[in-house]
Amino acid sequence: MQAIVLAAGEGTRMRPLSASCPKPMLPVAEEPLVAHTARAAVEAGADELVLVVGYEADTVREYFGAEYAGIPVKYSVQEEQRGTADAVRAAREHIDGPFAVLNGDNLYDTAAVKRLLSNGPGVGTYHVEDPSNYGVISTDGPRATGIVEKPDDPPTNLANTGAYVFPEEARDWLDVGESERGEFEITDVVERVIEEYDVTAVEVERWLDVGRPWELLEANEWKLDELERDVRGDVSERATLDGNVVVEEGATVKSGVVIEGPALIRSGASVGPNAYIRGATLVDENAKVGHSVEVKNSVLSPGATVGHLSYVGDSVLGRDVNFGAGTNVANLRHDGESVKHTVKGDRVSTGRRKFGVVVGDDVKTGINTSLYPGVSLSEGSMTHPNEEVSRDK
Ligand code: TTP
């Protein structure tokens, strides 16, 4: 079965991380976010991938090429992000038989995708405590009987996960009308399929919709947790690696370093001497963690450097960021409240007691910069020596 993966979005809620890297291409363990979705589809039995691309499309194309995980990859371009039905419509020329659709910024457990792909028309659902902020699927036994967006009075606790299997005929049902929010929505197609076919509601055991920066951390926590210890790089005899630590070939871990897994140190990265890495941490290609630096539960994108005497906790650092010596991240509020973060102009709770900072590509901090919990630094910005950053820059 073909799997259409929607990856045309910028990810505006992920700014500044998505300023030059489309959200689907942000790093999650050893692959970009969308590659985990694609891999789940392949492992579930998809025999062809159709990637719908748009924003920074070339980055996606370069990564996947013409074949991925042993199956062919085709591309469709959605020029403007006009909704999920519009995205699938962009791929219509490639549809040939029943087809699966997956959100390219969602992580799914592979077993559930497999059940979905082997059951005829279906929709993936996930049990949530408060469904009022989701599309909600109503059911009758194993059958889906309806879908309603963000209801005041949800019929079930089953959130729509954006994973579907459609009959071939649905190719002709993609020209839906514009919704109230001015988009062409795949949920309208799902409704039609529910009217005309038996649609199975397939419960997904684990699901993560990655929209905001702390969800990128959660995605990394999930995928780093699945790592198995594998040490191939140049690791000093005087370094200590505990638990599931992966050090790729071409990475260097120097004397006095302690790494508590899960952690992934990618090719070209360098850690130490005397550094401490713990929690689910990704040190991506050519990133650097220097002397007396502690990094906890964080993502250092390719080329990010934290050179000396710093603490980075529960944070995401973009590409080629450079933290001056003594830059420290506060990741906990002393009033015990969850850390807040600004998403598209609104202050929202991250729901996390521990959350550090979100740093756009090419940011440089001056020595002894102090960063407050939840602040974000826009791409290319700089701080002065001794600066205290309590608001977004
Ligand atoms: P969204 O999360 O709604 O959009 P987004 O990824 O651009 O993020 P943001 O809201 O922060 O700007 O999209 C869900 C999925 O569908 C995601 O994988 C992107 C994809 N998509 C498209 O490919 N084309 C579209 O027109 C829309 C609306 C979404």
Side-chain angles (χ1 to χ4, degrees), residues 124-139:
T125 66
Y126 183 71
H127 190 277
V128 292
E129 285 310 316
D130 177 11
S132 56
N133 255 330
Y134 296 89
V136 177
I137 309 289
S138 44
T139 53

Side-chain angles (χ1 to χ4, degrees), residues 88-379:
V88 179
R89 193 160 52 186
R92 180 150 51 192
E93 53 173 330
H94 295 305
I95 296 174
D96 175 21
F99 57 101
V101 174
L102 298 168
N103 274 348
D105 59 351
N106 286 197
L107 295 182
Y108 304 94
D109 71 272
T110 306
V113 181
K114 203 171 195 162
R115 283 200 304 280
L116 182 67
L117 265 59
S118 47
N119 256 315
V123 52
T125 66
Y126 183 71
H127 190 277
V128 292
E129 285 310 316
D130 177 11
S132 56
N133 255 330
Y134 296 89
V136 177
I137 309 289
S138 44
T139 53
D140 180 9
R143 297 272 167 258
T145 54
I147 181 165
V148 48
E149 272 307 314
K150 301 186 179 161
D152 291 333
D153 191 13
T156 66
N157 286 71
L158 299 175
N160 172 20
T161 64
Y164 318 96
V165 167
F166 291 115
E168 183 174 7
E169 204 183 354
R171 183 181 50 192
D172 302 326
W173 299 345
L174 299 171
D175 299 300
V176 296
E178 214 173 273
S179 69
E180 268 174 28
R181 59 172 179 172
E183 289 192 5
F184 302 94
E185 320 244 8
I186 193 79
T187 45
D188 289 341
V189 184
V190 176
E191 264 180 1
R192 173 100 189 250
V193 177
I194 286 174
E195 273 166 29
E196 312 222 5
Y197 283 81
D198 278 349
V199 173
T200 312
V202 175
E203 197 158 338
V204 173
E205 320 273 284
R206 197 166 178 194
W207 171 64
L208 182 63
D209 181 10
V210 184
R212 300 163 300 182
W214 59 93
E215 287 152 354
L216 187 69
L217 276 188
E218 285 168 31
N220 274 280
E221 286 160 12
W222 173 345
K223 291 297 162 183
L224 290 169
D225 221 26
E226 291 177 350
L227 292 178
E228 284 178 21
R229 187 181 172 94
D230 186 11
V231 178
R232 293 164 193 247
D234 181 9
V235 178
S236 162
E237 281 174 11
R238 291 188 295 276
T240 306
L241 309 185
D242 278 340
N244 286 329
V245 176
V246 175
V247 181
E248 288 184 356
E249 190 147 356
T252 309
V253 177
K254 296 179 185 164
S255 170
V257 167
V258 174
I259 304 180
E260 291 165 3
L264 170 58
I265 315 299
R266 300 215 56 198
S267 176
S270 155
V271 181
N274 305 319
Y276 180 27
I277 291 181
R278 64 194 171 98
T281 289
L282 166 64
V283 180
D284 214 327
E285 289 173 353
N286 305 313
K288 186 175 173 207
V289 176
H291 170 66
S292 288
V293 171
E294 178 176 351
V295 182
K296 180 227 152 192
N297 197 241
S298 292
V299 171
L300 271 60
S301 298
T305 295
V306 186
H308 331 258
L309 303 159
S310 291
Y311 174 67
V312 177
D314 305 282
S315 297
V316 185
L317 274 53
R319 289 170 171 261
D320 298 317
V321 161
N322 195 311
F323 272 11
T327 295
N328 281 306
V329 170
N331 60 338
L332 173 71
R333 287 168 55 127
H334 282 165
D335 60 8
E337 294 289 314
S338 298
V339 176
K340 292 196 172 68
H341 183 73
T342 303
V343 178
K344 292 178 91 173
D346 292 329
R347 291 296 282 166
V348 294
S349 171
T350 62
R352 292 174 75 108
R353 216 169 62 83
K354 299 245 176 109
F355 185 61
V357 295
V358 179
V359 185
D361 295 351
D362 300 310
V363 165
K364 291 185 172 54
T365 64
I367 57 164
N368 295 324
T369 293
S370 298
L371 301 168
Y372 278 41
V375 296
S376 116
L377 304 178
S378 59
E379 64 282 5

Side-chain angles (χ1 to χ4, degrees), residues 6-14 23 52 78 80-84 87 103-105 183 209 211 344:
L6 308 186
E10 170 188 342
T12 49
R13 290 166 298 150
M14 199 58 93
K23 179 175 72 174
V52 180
Q78 185 194 22
E80 241 185 286
Q81 251 193 288
R82 296 162 65 204
T84 40
N103 274 348
D105 59 351
E183 289 192 5
D209 181 10
K344 292 178 91 173

